[in-house]
Amino acid sequence: MPELPDVEGFRGVVAEYGTGRRITAVRVADPGVLRGVGAGELTETLTGRSFGEPERRGKWLLVPLSGPLLLLHFGMTGSMVWDTGETPPHRHDRVTFVLTNGELRYRDMRKLRGIWLAADQDAADRLLADLGPDALTVGRREFDGVTRARRQIKATLMDQSALAGLGNLLVDEICWRARIHPRRQGDRLTEAERGELYRAMRRVLRDAIPTGRVPGRRSWLTGHRDGPHPTCPRCGTALAHGRAAGRTTVWCPRCQPDPDSG
Ligand SMILES: [Zn+2]
């Protein structure tokens, strides 16, 4: 599932291959991913314009086009792929932006989210008005305020209107690093635990962004969680599975004690 590091990767693809390039055509293979805009309007508005410098906000990618902006969200299975134009389209390439030097392809299997067109920066800001502070740039004080909410810490960290950018893998990884059970109540964390959580988030993001995803390294929870009999890479205890914040959740019962059993 695309989370902050993945979208940073897509931002890099657009910045490297798209920025400053003119759009010569837009191919809409599946208008089912277009939100609030038709294929005709999208094509007409974009053709002849150049891609500006893309910006990421949470899990969103914003691409300015000297006036209007494209807003892209990658849902559970989306990506942004560069191709010289020689490879035949993939069957999940829903929209292709043809540039002077090749093609940027919005590829998505499940089509849970999609592509919006905002008339200007104000319209784009209105579309994203519900987003909380970005997980990559949020300061400690603001993070403390957000995570003091009286609800399970995993639910808060997953909630894009509280903190934008984190998803299921990242939140489990961060909680495991900080040795905090994902079902702990945010308002009951100690200040030391809250500091651990913040530092774990910073470290995980810093390490994940260069790889463009949440890496499945052997020293990471993410590198073990999907194995047949997964164990904690820190202490060797069998990992526990359950649900938190409505999602499949993995934790170490020894490193992250259950709030209900103590
Ligand atoms: Zn452990």
Side-chain angles (χ1 to χ4, degrees), residues 153-222:
I153 191 65
K154 177 159 181 175
T156 295
L157 296 176
M158 294 279 290
D159 178 354
Q160 299 302 297
S161 68
L163 192 65
L166 306 181
N168 200 43
L169 290 182
L170 279 173
V171 170
D172 283 3
E173 187 72 42
I174 291 163
C175 288
W176 174 76
R177 294 267 185 118
R179 299 172 185 254
I180 290 167
H181 193 288
R183 286 201 285 253
R184 290 278 302 279
Q185 293 288 315
D187 57 331
R188 296 199 192 147
L189 295 178
T190 66
E191 285 315 295
E193 287 174 328
R194 210 177 301 285
E196 281 304 316
L197 203 59
Y198 183 71
R199 280 188 291 279
M201 180 181 73
R202 307 273 296 178
R203 215 159 45 230
V204 165
L205 287 175
R206 194 185 57 211
D207 290 349
I209 284 172
T211 68
R213 63 197 180 89
V214 189
R217 293 188 190 131
R218 296 301 296 162
S219 58
W220 288 45
L221 182 76
T222 306

Side-chain angles (χ1 to χ4, degrees), residues 24-41:
T24 59
V26 179
R27 288 201 302 265
V28 179
D30 185 349
V33 299
L34 301 182
R35 311 289 179 211
V37 60
E41 187 192 352

Side-chain angles (χ1 to χ4, degrees), residues 128-157:
L128 304 183
D130 288 341
L131 279 186
D134 194 88
L136 188 58
T137 52
V138 66
R140 174 68 199 276
R141 184 190 294 259
E142 197 170 11
F143 180 83
D144 287 358
V146 165
T147 55
R148 275 195 198 102
R150 258 181 90 179
R151 61 199 288 210
Q152 291 181 356
I153 191 65
K154 177 159 181 175
T156 295
L157 296 176

